[in-house]
Coordinates of all heavy atoms in Angstrom, one line a residue:
M20 N 77.2 117.8 118.8 CA 77.8 117.4 120.0 C 77.4 116.0 120.4 O 76.2 115.7 120.5 CB 77.4 118.4 121.1 CG 77.7 118.0 122.6 SD 79.4 118.1 123.2 CE 79.7 119.8 123.3
D21 N 78.3 115.1 120.6 CA 78.1 113.7 121.0 C 77.5 113.8 122.4 O 78.0 114.5 123.3 CB 79.4 113.0 121.0 CG 79.4 111.6 121.5 OD1 78.7 111.3 122.5 OD2 80.1 110.8 120.9
A22 N 76.4 113.1 122.7 CA 75.7 113.1 124.0 C 76.6 112.7 125.1 O 76.5 113.3 126.2 CB 74.5 112.2 123.9
I23 N 77.4 111.7 124.9 CA 78.3 111.3 126.0 C 79.4 112.3 126.3 O 79.7 112.6 127.5 CB 78.9 109.9 125.7 CG1 77.8 108.8 125.8 CG2 80.1 109.5 126.6 CD1 78.2 107.4 125.4
V24 N 79.9 112.9 125.2 CA 80.9 114.0 125.4 C 80.2 115.1 126.2 O 80.8 115.7 127.1 CB 81.4 114.5 124.1 CG1 82.2 115.8 124.2 CG2 82.2 113.4 123.4
L25 N 79.0 115.5 125.9 CA 78.3 116.6 126.6 C 78.1 116.2 128.1 O 78.5 117.1 128.9 CB 76.9 116.8 125.9 CG 76.0 117.9 126.5 CD1 75.2 118.5 125.4 CD2 75.1 117.4 127.6
L26 N 77.7 115.0 128.4 CA 77.5 114.6 129.8 C 78.9 114.6 130.5 O 79.0 115.0 131.7 CB 76.8 113.3 129.9 CG 75.3 113.3 129.4 CD1 74.7 111.9 129.4 CD2 74.5 114.3 130.2
K27 N 79.9 114.1 129.8 CA 81.2 114.0 130.5 C 81.8 115.5 130.7 O 82.5 115.7 131.7 CB 82.2 113.2 129.7 CG 81.9 111.7 129.8 CD 82.9 110.9 129.0 CE 84.2 110.7 129.9 NZ 85.1 109.7 129.3
D28 N 81.5 116.4 129.8 CA 81.9 117.8 130.0 C 81.2 118.3 131.2 O 81.8 119.1 132.0 CB 81.5 118.6 128.8 CG 82.5 118.5 127.6 OD1 83.5 117.8 127.8 OD2 82.2 119.0 126.5
D29 N 80.0 118.0 131.4 CA 79.3 118.4 132.7 C 80.0 117.9 133.9 O 80.2 118.6 134.9 CB 77.8 117.9 132.7 CG 76.9 118.7 131.8 OD1 77.3 119.7 131.2 OD2 75.7 118.3 131.7
H30 N 80.4 116.6 133.8 CA 81.1 116.1 135.0 C 82.4 116.9 135.2 O 82.7 117.2 136.4 CB 81.5 114.6 134.7 CG 80.3 113.7 134.6 ND1 80.5 112.3 134.4 CD2 79.0 113.9 134.7 CE1 79.3 111.8 134.3 NE2 78.4 112.7 134.5
K31 N 83.1 117.2 134.2 CA 84.4 118.0 134.3 C 84.1 119.4 134.9 O 84.8 119.9 135.7 CB 85.1 118.1 133.0 CG 85.8 116.9 132.5 CD 86.5 117.2 131.2 CE 86.7 115.9 130.4 NZ 87.1 116.1 129.0
T32 N 83.0 120.0 134.5 CA 82.6 121.3 135.0 C 82.4 121.2 136.5 O 82.9 122.0 137.3 CB 81.3 121.8 134.3 OG1 81.6 122.0 132.9 CG2 80.8 123.1 134.9
V33 N 81.6 120.2 137.0 CA 81.4 120.0 138.4 C 82.7 119.7 139.2 O 82.9 120.3 140.2 CB 80.3 118.9 138.6 CG1 80.2 118.5 140.1 CG2 78.9 119.4 138.1
E34 N 83.5 118.9 138.6 CA 84.8 118.6 139.3 C 85.7 119.8 139.3 O 86.3 120.1 140.3 CB 85.5 117.5 138.5 CG 84.8 116.1 138.8 CD 85.0 115.1 137.7 OE1 85.7 115.4 136.6 OE2 84.4 114.0 137.8
G35 N 85.6 120.7 138.3 CA 86.4 121.9 138.3 C 85.9 122.8 139.4 O 86.6 123.5 140.1
L36 N 84.5 122.9 139.6 CA 84.0 123.7 140.7 C 84.4 123.2 142.0 O 84.6 123.9 143.0 CB 82.4 123.7 140.6 CG 81.9 124.6 139.4 CD1 80.4 124.3 139.2 CD2 82.2 126.0 139.6
F37 N 84.4 121.8 142.2 CA 84.9 121.2 143.4 C 86.3 121.6 143.7 O 86.7 122.0 144.8 CB 84.7 119.7 143.3 CG 85.0 119.1 144.7 CD1 84.0 119.0 145.6 CD2 86.3 118.6 145.0 CE1 84.3 118.4 146.9 CE2 86.6 118.0 146.2 CZ 85.6 117.9 147.2
K38 N 87.2 121.6 142.7 CA 88.6 122.0 142.8 C 88.6 123.5 143.3 O 89.4 123.8 144.3 CB 89.3 121.9 141.5 CG 89.9 120.6 141.2 CD 90.8 120.6 139.9 CE 91.0 119.2 139.4 NZ 91.5 119.2 138.1
K39 N 87.8 124.3 142.7 CA 87.8 125.8 143.1 C 87.4 125.9 144.5 O 87.9 126.7 145.3 CB 86.9 126.6 142.2 CG 87.4 127.0 140.9 CD 86.5 127.8 140.1 CE 87.0 128.2 138.7 NZ 86.0 128.9 137.9
F40 N 86.4 125.1 144.9 CA 85.9 125.2 146.3 C 87.0 124.8 147.3 O 87.3 125.5 148.3 CB 84.7 124.3 146.5 CG 84.0 124.4 147.8 CD1 83.0 125.3 148.0 CD2 84.5 123.6 148.9 CE1 82.4 125.4 149.3 CE2 83.9 123.7 150.1 CZ 82.8 124.6 150.3
E41 N 87.7 123.7 146.9 CA 88.8 123.2 147.8 C 89.9 124.2 147.9 O 90.6 124.3 148.9 CB 89.3 121.9 147.3 CG 88.4 120.8 147.4 CD 89.0 119.6 148.2 OE1 90.1 119.2 147.8 OE2 88.4 119.2 149.2
Q42 N 90.2 125.0 146.8 CA 91.3 125.9 146.7 C 90.9 127.3 147.3 O 91.8 128.1 147.6 CB 91.8 126.1 145.3 CG 92.5 124.8 144.8 CD 92.7 124.8 143.3 OE1 92.2 125.7 142.6 NE2 93.3 123.7 142.8
A43 N 89.6 127.5 147.5 CA 89.2 128.8 148.1 C 89.7 128.9 149.5 O 89.8 127.9 150.2 CB 87.7 128.9 148.0
G44 N 90.0 130.1 149.9 CA 90.5 130.2 151.3 C 89.4 129.8 152.3 O 88.2 129.8 152.0
E45 N 89.9 129.4 153.5 CA 89.0 128.9 154.5 C 87.9 129.9 154.9 O 86.7 129.5 155.1 CB 89.8 128.6 155.8 CG 89.1 127.7 156.8 CD 90.0 127.3 157.9 OE1 91.1 126.8 157.7 OE2 89.5 127.5 159.1
K46 N 88.2 131.2 154.8 CA 87.2 132.2 155.1 C 86.6 132.9 153.9 O 86.0 134.0 154.0 CB 87.8 133.2 156.1 CG 88.2 132.6 157.4 CD 88.7 133.7 158.4 CE 89.0 133.0 159.7 NZ 89.6 133.9 160.7
A47 N 86.8 132.3 152.7 CA 86.3 132.9 151.5 C 84.8 132.5 151.4 O 84.4 131.9 150.4 CB 87.1 132.4 150.3
Y48 N 84.0 133.0 152.3 CA 82.6 132.6 152.4 C 81.8 133.0 151.2 O 81.0 132.2 150.6 CB 81.9 133.2 153.6 CG 82.6 132.8 154.9 CD1 83.2 133.7 155.8 CD2 82.7 131.4 155.3 CE1 83.8 133.4 157.0 CE2 83.4 131.1 156.5 CZ 83.9 132.1 157.3 OH 84.6 131.7 158.4
A49 N 81.9 134.2 150.7 CA 81.2 134.7 149.5 C 81.5 133.9 148.3 O 80.7 133.4 147.5 CB 81.4 136.1 149.3
E50 N 82.9 133.6 148.1 CA 83.3 132.9 147.0 C 82.8 131.4 147.0 O 82.3 130.9 146.0 CB 84.9 132.9 147.0 CG 85.6 131.9 146.0 CD 85.5 132.3 144.5 OE1 84.8 133.4 144.3 OE2 86.0 131.6 143.7
K51 N 82.9 130.8 148.2 CA 82.4 129.4 148.4 C 80.9 129.4 148.1 O 80.4 128.4 147.5 CB 82.7 128.9 149.8 CG 84.2 128.5 149.9 CD 84.5 128.0 151.3 CE 85.9 127.4 151.3 NZ 86.3 126.9 152.6
R52 N 80.1 130.4 148.6 CA 78.7 130.4 148.3 C 78.4 130.4 146.8 O 77.5 129.7 146.3 CB 78.1 131.6 149.0 CG 76.6 131.8 148.8 CD 75.9 130.8 149.7 NE 74.9 130.2 148.9 CZ 74.0 129.2 149.3 NH1 74.1 128.9 150.6 NH2 73.2 128.7 148.6
R53 N 79.2 131.3 146.1 CA 79.0 131.4 144.7 C 79.3 130.1 144.0 O 78.6 129.7 143.1 CB 79.9 132.5 144.1 CG 79.7 133.0 142.7 CD 80.8 133.9 142.2 NE 82.1 133.3 142.2 CZ 82.5 132.4 141.3 NH1 81.7 132.0 140.3 NH2 83.7 131.9 141.3
I54 N 80.3 129.4 144.4 CA 80.7 128.1 143.9 C 79.6 127.1 144.1 O 79.2 126.3 143.2 CB 82.1 127.7 144.4 CG1 83.2 128.6 143.9 CG2 82.4 126.2 144.0 CD1 84.5 128.4 144.6
V55 N 79.1 127.0 145.3 CA 78.1 126.1 145.7 C 76.8 126.3 144.9 O 76.2 125.4 144.4 CB 77.8 126.1 147.2 CG1 76.5 125.3 147.5 CG2 78.9 125.5 148.0
D56 N 76.4 127.6 144.7 CA 75.3 127.9 143.9 C 75.4 127.4 142.4 O 74.5 126.9 141.8 CB 75.0 129.4 143.9 CG 74.4 129.9 145.2 OD1 74.0 129.1 146.0 OD2 74.4 131.2 145.4
K57 N 76.6 127.7 141.9 CA 76.9 127.2 140.5 C 76.9 125.7 140.4 O 76.4 125.1 139.5 CB 78.3 127.8 140.0 CG 78.7 127.4 138.7 CD 78.8 128.6 137.7 CE 79.4 128.3 136.4 NZ 78.5 127.6 135.5
F58 N 77.5 125.1 141.4 CA 77.6 123.6 141.5 C 76.2 123.0 141.5 O 75.9 122.1 140.8 CB 78.3 123.3 142.9 CG 78.7 121.9 143.1 CD1 79.9 121.4 142.7 CD2 77.8 121.0 143.7 CE1 80.3 120.1 143.0 CE2 78.2 119.7 144.0 CZ 79.4 119.2 143.6
T59 N 75.3 123.6 142.3 CA 73.9 123.1 142.4 C 73.2 123.3 141.1 O 72.5 122.4 140.6 CB 73.2 123.9 143.5 OG1 73.9 123.8 144.8 CG2 71.7 123.4 143.7
K60 N 73.4 124.5 140.5 CA 72.7 124.7 139.2 C 73.2 123.7 138.1 O 72.4 123.2 137.3 CB 73.1 126.2 138.7 CG 72.4 126.5 137.4 CD 72.7 128.0 137.0 CE 72.0 128.4 135.7 NZ 72.2 127.5 134.6
E61 N 74.5 123.5 138.1 CA 75.1 122.5 137.1 C 74.5 121.1 137.3 O 74.2 120.4 136.4 CB 76.6 122.5 137.2 CG 77.3 123.7 136.8 CD 77.2 123.9 135.3 OE1 77.1 123.0 134.5 OE2 77.4 125.1 134.9
L62 N 74.4 120.7 138.6 CA 73.9 119.3 138.9 C 72.4 119.2 138.5 O 72.0 118.2 138.0 CB 74.1 119.0 140.3 CG 75.6 118.6 140.7 CD1 75.6 118.4 142.2 CD2 76.1 117.4 139.9
V63 N 71.6 120.2 138.8 CA 70.2 120.2 138.5 C 70.0 120.2 137.0 O 69.2 119.4 136.5 CB 69.5 121.4 139.1 CG1 68.1 121.6 138.5 CG2 69.4 121.3 140.6
T64 N 70.8 121.0 136.3 CA 70.7 121.0 134.8 C 71.1 119.6 134.2 O 70.4 119.1 133.3 CB 71.6 122.1 134.2 OG1 71.2 123.4 134.8 CG2 71.6 122.1 132.7
H65 N 72.2 119.1 134.8 CA 72.7 117.8 134.3 C 71.6 116.7 134.5 O 71.3 115.9 133.6 CB 73.9 117.4 135.1 CG 74.6 116.2 134.6 ND1 75.4 116.1 133.5 CD2 74.6 114.9 135.2 CE1 75.9 114.8 133.4 NE2 75.4 114.1 134.4
A66 N 71.0 116.6 135.7 CA 69.9 115.6 136.0 C 68.7 115.8 135.1 O 68.1 114.9 134.6 CB 69.5 115.7 137.5
H67 N 68.4 117.1 134.8 CA 67.3 117.4 134.0 C 67.5 116.9 132.5 O 66.7 116.3 131.9 CB 67.1 119.0 133.9 CG 66.0 119.4 133.0 ND1 64.7 119.2 133.2 CD2 66.1 120.0 131.8 CE1 64.0 119.7 132.2 NE2 64.8 120.1 131.3
I68 N 68.7 117.2 132.0 CA 69.1 116.7 130.7 C 68.9 115.2 130.6 O 68.4 114.6 129.7 CB 70.5 117.1 130.3 CG1 70.6 118.6 130.1 CG2 71.0 116.4 129.1 CD1 72.0 119.1 130.0
E69 N 69.5 114.5 131.6 CA 69.5 113.0 131.6 C 68.1 112.5 131.7 O 67.7 111.5 131.0 CB 70.3 112.5 132.7 CG 71.8 112.6 132.4 CD 72.7 112.1 133.5 OE1 72.2 111.9 134.6 OE2 73.8 111.8 133.2
E70 N 67.2 113.0 132.7 CA 66.0 112.4 133.1 C 64.8 112.9 132.3 O 63.8 112.2 132.1 CB 65.8 112.6 134.6 CG 66.8 111.8 135.4 CD 66.7 112.1 136.9 OE1 65.7 112.5 137.3 OE2 67.7 111.8 137.6
E71 N 64.6 114.3 131.9 CA 63.4 114.8 131.4 C 63.5 115.0 129.8 O 62.5 115.2 129.2 CB 63.1 116.2 132.0 CG 63.0 116.3 133.5 CD 61.8 115.4 134.0 OE1 61.1 114.8 133.3 OE2 61.7 115.4 135.2
K72 N 64.6 114.9 129.2 CA 64.8 115.2 127.8 C 64.8 113.9 127.0 O 65.4 113.9 125.9 CB 66.0 116.1 127.6 CG 65.9 117.5 128.2 CD 64.7 118.2 127.5 CE 64.6 119.6 128.2 NZ 63.3 120.2 127.8
D73 N 64.1 112.9 127.5 CA 64.0 111.6 126.7 C 65.3 110.9 126.4 O 65.3 110.0 125.6 CB 63.3 111.9 125.4 CG 61.8 112.4 125.6 OD1 61.2 112.0 126.6 OD2 61.4 113.1 124.7
W74 N 66.3 111.3 127.1 CA 67.6 110.6 127.0 C 67.5 109.2 127.4 O 67.9 108.2 126.7 CB 68.7 111.4 127.7 CG 70.0 110.7 128.0 CD1 70.5 110.4 129.2 CD2 71.0 110.3 127.1 NE1 71.7 109.8 129.1 CE2 72.1 109.7 127.8 CE3 71.1 110.3 125.7 CZ2 73.2 109.2 127.2 CZ3 72.2 109.8 125.1 CH2 73.3 109.3 125.8
F75 N 67.0 108.9 128.7 CA 67.0 107.6 129.2 C 66.0 106.7 128.4 O 66.4 105.6 128.0 CB 66.6 107.6 130.7 CG 67.7 108.0 131.6 CD1 67.4 108.4 132.9 CD2 69.0 108.1 131.2 CE1 68.4 108.8 133.8 CE2 70.0 108.5 132.0 CZ 69.7 108.9 133.3
P76 N 64.8 107.2 128.0 CA 63.9 106.3 127.2 C 64.6 105.9 125.8 O 64.4 104.8 125.3 CB 62.7 107.2 127.0 CG 62.7 108.1 128.2 CD 64.1 108.4 128.5
Q77 N 65.3 106.9 125.3 CA 66.0 106.6 124.0 C 67.0 105.5 124.1 O 67.2 104.6 123.3 CB 66.6 107.9 123.4 CG 65.5 108.8 122.8 CD 66.1 110.0 122.2 OE1 67.2 110.0 121.6 NE2 65.5 111.2 122.5
V78 N 67.8 105.6 125.2 CA 68.9 104.6 125.5 C 68.2 103.3 125.7 O 68.7 102.2 125.2 CB 69.7 105.0 126.7 CG1 70.7 103.9 127.1 CG2 70.5 106.3 126.3
R79 N 67.1 103.3 126.5 CA 66.4 102.0 126.8 C 65.9 101.3 125.5 O 66.1 100.2 125.3 CB 65.2 102.3 127.7 CG 64.4 101.0 128.1 CD 63.3 101.3 129.1 NE 63.7 101.9 130.3 CZ 64.2 101.2 131.4 NH1 64.3 99.9 131.2 NH2 64.5 101.7 132.5
A80 N 65.3 102.2 124.6 CA 64.8 101.6 123.4 C 65.9 101.1 122.5 O 65.8 100.1 121.8 CB 64.0 102.7 122.6
A81 N 67.1 101.8 122.5 CA 68.2 101.4 121.6 C 68.9 100.1 122.2 O 69.3 99.3 121.4 CB 69.2 102.5 121.5
M82 N 69.1 100.1 123.5 CA 69.8 99.0 124.1 C 69.0 97.7 124.4 O 69.5 96.6 124.3 CB 70.5 99.4 125.3 CG 71.7 100.4 125.1 SD 72.5 100.9 126.6 CE 73.4 99.4 127.0
G83 N 67.8 97.9 124.8 CA 67.0 96.8 125.2 C 67.2 96.4 126.6 O 68.2 96.7 127.2
R84 N 66.2 95.7 127.2 CA 66.2 95.3 128.6 C 67.4 94.5 129.1 O 68.0 94.8 130.1 CB 64.9 94.6 128.9 CG 64.7 94.2 130.4 CD 63.4 93.5 130.6 NE 62.3 94.4 131.0 CZ 62.2 95.1 132.1 NH1 63.2 95.1 133.0 NH2 61.2 95.9 132.3
K85 N 67.7 93.5 128.3 CA 68.8 92.6 128.7 C 70.2 93.3 128.8 O 70.9 93.2 129.8 CB 68.9 91.4 127.8 CG 69.9 90.3 128.2 CD 69.9 89.1 127.2 CE 70.7 88.0 127.7 NZ 72.1 88.3 127.8
E86 N 70.5 94.1 127.8 CA 71.7 94.8 127.8 C 71.8 95.9 128.9 O 72.8 96.1 129.5 CB 72.0 95.4 126.4 CG 73.4 95.7 126.1 CD 73.7 96.2 124.6 OE1 72.8 95.9 123.8 OE2 74.7 96.8 124.4
L87 N 70.6 96.5 129.1 CA 70.6 97.5 130.2 C 70.7 96.9 131.5 O 71.4 97.5 132.4 CB 69.3 98.3 130.1 CG 69.3 99.5 129.2 CD1 67.9 100.2 129.2 CD2 70.3 100.6 129.7
Q88 N 70.2 95.7 131.7 CA 70.3 95.0 133.0 C 71.8 94.6 133.2 O 72.3 94.7 134.3 CB 69.4 93.8 133.1 CG 68.0 94.2 133.3 CD 67.0 93.0 133.4 OE1 67.3 91.9 132.9 NE2 65.9 93.2 134.1
E89 N 72.5 94.1 132.1 CA 73.9 93.8 132.3 C 74.7 95.0 132.6 O 75.6 95.0 133.5 CB 74.4 93.1 131.0 CG 73.9 91.7 130.8 CD 74.1 91.1 129.4 OE1 74.8 91.8 128.6 OE2 73.6 90.0 129.2
L90 N 74.4 96.2 131.9 CA 75.1 97.4 132.2 C 74.8 97.9 133.6 O 75.8 98.3 134.3 CB 74.7 98.5 131.2 CG 75.3 99.9 131.3 CD1 76.8 99.8 131.2 CD2 74.8 100.8 130.3
G91 N 73.6 97.7 134.1 CA 73.2 98.1 135.4 C 74.0 97.3 136.5 O 74.5 97.9 137.5
E92 N 74.2 96.0 136.2 CA 75.0 95.2 137.1 C 76.5 95.6 137.2 O 77.1 95.7 138.2 CB 74.9 93.7 136.7 CG 73.5 93.1 137.1 CD 73.2 91.8 136.4 OE1 74.2 91.1 135.9 OE2 72.1 91.4 136.3
R93 N 77.0 96.0 136.0 CA 78.4 96.5 136.0 C 78.5 97.8 136.7 O 79.5 98.1 137.4 CB 78.9 96.6 134.5 CG 79.0 95.3 133.8 CD 80.0 95.3 132.7 NE 79.8 96.3 131.6 CZ 79.0 96.1 130.6 NH1 78.4 95.0 130.4 NH2 78.8 97.1 129.7
M94 N 77.5 98.7 136.5 CA 77.5 100.0 137.2 C 77.4 99.8 138.7 O 78.1 100.5 139.5 CB 76.3 100.9 136.7 CG 76.5 101.4 135.4 SD 75.0 102.3 134.9 CE 75.7 103.4 133.6
E95 N 76.6 98.8 139.2 CA 76.4 98.6 140.6 C 77.7 98.1 141.2 O 78.1 98.5 142.3 CB 75.3 97.5 140.8 CG 74.8 97.4 142.2 CD 74.2 98.6 142.8 OE1 73.5 99.3 142.1 OE2 74.5 98.9 144.0
A96 N 78.4 97.2 140.4 CA 79.7 96.7 140.9 C 80.7 97.9 140.9 O 81.5 98.0 141.9 CB 80.2 95.6 140.0
A97 N 80.7 98.8 139.9 CA 81.6 99.9 139.9 C 81.3 100.9 141.1 O 82.2 101.5 141.6 CB 81.5 100.7 138.6
R98 N 80.1 100.9 141.5 CA 79.7 101.8 142.7 C 80.6 101.5 143.9 O 81.0 102.3 144.6 CB 78.2 101.6 143.0 CG 77.7 102.6 144.0 CD 76.3 102.2 144.5 NE 75.3 102.2 143.4 CZ 74.6 103.3 143.0 NH1 74.8 104.4 143.7 NH2 73.7 103.2 142.1
A99 N 80.8 100.2 144.1 CA 81.5 99.7 145.2 C 83.0 100.1 145.1 O 83.7 100.2 146.1 CB 81.4 98.2 145.4
E100 N 83.5 100.3 143.9 CA 84.9 100.7 143.7 C 85.1 102.2 143.6 O 86.2 102.6 143.5 CB 85.4 100.1 142.4 CG 85.3 98.5 142.3 CD 85.5 98.0 140.9 OE1 85.6 98.8 140.0 OE2 85.4 96.8 140.8
A101 N 84.0 102.9 143.7 CA 84.2 104.4 143.5 C 85.0 105.0 144.6 O 84.8 104.6 145.8 CB 82.8 105.0 143.5
P102 N 85.9 106.0 144.3 CA 86.7 106.6 145.3 C 85.8 107.6 146.1 O 84.8 108.1 145.7 CB 87.7 107.4 144.5 CG 87.0 107.7 143.2 CD 86.1 106.5 142.9
A103 N 86.2 107.8 147.4 CA 85.5 108.7 148.3 C 85.9 110.2 147.9 O 85.1 111.1 148.1 CB 85.8 108.4 149.7
E104 N 87.1 110.3 147.3 CA 87.6 111.6 147.0 C 87.1 112.1 145.6 O 87.4 111.4 144.6 CB 89.1 111.6 147.0 CG 89.9 112.8 146.5 CD 89.5 114.1 147.1 OE1 89.4 114.1 148.4 OE2 89.3 115.1 146.4
P105 N 86.3 113.2 145.5 CA 85.8 113.6 144.2 C 86.8 113.8 143.1 O 86.6 113.5 142.0 CB 85.1 114.9 144.5 CG 84.8 114.9 146.0 CD 85.9 114.1 146.6
L106 N 88.0 114.3 143.5 CA 89.0 114.6 142.5 C 89.8 113.3 142.0 O 90.6 113.4 141.2 CB 89.9 115.7 143.0 CG 89.2 117.0 143.2 CD1 90.2 118.1 143.7 CD2 88.5 117.5 142.0
A107 N 89.4 112.2 142.6 CA 90.1 110.9 142.2 C 89.3 110.3 141.1 O 89.7 109.3 140.5 CB 90.1 110.0 143.4
V108 N 88.2 110.9 140.7 CA 87.4 110.4 139.5 C 88.2 110.7 138.3 O 88.8 111.7 138.1 CB 86.0 111.1 139.5 CG1 85.2 110.7 138.2 CG2 85.2 110.8 140.7
K109 N 88.2 109.7 137.4 CA 89.0 109.7 136.2 C 88.9 111.1 135.4 O 89.9 111.6 135.0 CB 88.6 108.6 135.2 CG 89.7 107.7 134.8 CD 89.3 106.7 133.7 CE 89.0 105.4 134.3 NZ 88.5 104.4 133.3
S110 N 87.7 111.5 135.2 CA 87.6 112.7 134.3 C 88.2 114.0 135.1 O 88.5 115.0 134.4 CB 86.1 113.0 134.0 OG 85.3 113.1 135.1
A111 N 88.3 113.9 136.4 CA 88.9 115.0 137.1 C 90.4 115.2 136.8 O 90.9 116.3 137.0 CB 88.7 114.9 138.6
A112 N 91.0 114.1 136.4 CA 92.4 114.1 136.1 C 92.7 114.7 134.7 O 93.9 114.9 134.4 CB 93.0 112.7 136.3
Q113 N 91.7 114.8 133.9 CA 91.9 115.2 132.5 C 92.0 116.7 132.4 O 91.5 117.5 133.1 CB 90.8 114.7 131.6 CG 90.9 113.2 131.6 CD 89.6 112.6 130.8 OE1 88.7 113.3 130.5 NE2 89.7 111.3 130.6
Ligands
FE2_214 FE1 76.1 112.2 135.0

């Protein structure tokens, strides 16, 4: 499994859960609780994979400081363009 594909699949999973939450009835409290619990578990697992499993140090070693700084600047600029609506994220449309 390609690491980027794996991380993007996680994003799709979270976006799918967000869709389910939005589509759940207003009073579907138990269903919404279950979705939020799964959502939280998915996000914690995703952060763990990225931060504790040597993913970031490996990327840092492979890319080097200058390239990472340039990428960081592009990400910071993209942050300002991010939609407020979760389902407007590109991977949510796939
Ligand atoms: Fe991510």
